[in-house]
Amino acid sequence: VAHFANGDVGALVNVSGAAAMKSAHNPDGAQKFLAYLVSERAQKLMAQGHISFEYPLRPGVQGDPINKPFDQLHPPALTIQQLGDDSQAGRLLRQAGLL
């Protein structure tokens, strides 16, 4: 794991989320899955699994010690508008036959 400093683009922080849609075919299963994602067990697996080096969302769950504390990260000052959408990446993936 590399920690870029001083607003380097390599220090970009990606935020992800999850939600259950009203139109879900299995709303109870979707809610159970979301509850599992924020459970202590799942948060520990994601934060301490030495695979994705996630920062835990759940209070009390320790992150991987290889990660800098979140408040010591120095991501670039980019807006969502500057990042754009992923349409070009999608086109490239389709051209390469990966999608």
Side-chain angles (χ1 to χ4, degrees):
V1 175
H3 295 99
F4 296 88
N6 303 322
D8 187 285
V9 72
L12 184 67
V13 175
N14 292 317
V15 178
S16 61
M21 297 177 62
K22 282 185 177 182
S23 61
H25 294 290
N26 183 353
D28 291 337
Q31 289 296 329
K32 287 178 183 174
F33 178 65
L34 292 173
Y36 172 73
L37 287 177
V38 296
S39 72
E40 184 174 359
R41 180 173 189 260
Q43 289 287 293
K44 283 182 177 179
L45 286 170
M46 288 185 275
Q48 300 168 2
H50 307 293
I51 296 171
S52 61
F53 302 98
E54 301 280 340
Y55 285 87
L57 172 70
R58 188 177 185 93
V61 173
Q62 297 298 313
D64 192 309
I66 198 168
N67 287 339
K68 276 189 176 181
F70 198 78
D71 62 359
Q72 292 180 16
L73 298 177
H74 300 285
L78 294 172
T79 66
I80 295 295
Q81 290 77 18
Q82 288 172 302
L83 290 174
D85 62 29
D86 63 353
S87 60
Q88 184 178 3
R91 277 193 301 275
L92 290 171
L93 288 168
R94 282 189 290 284
Q95 286 175 0
L98 299 172
L99 288 180

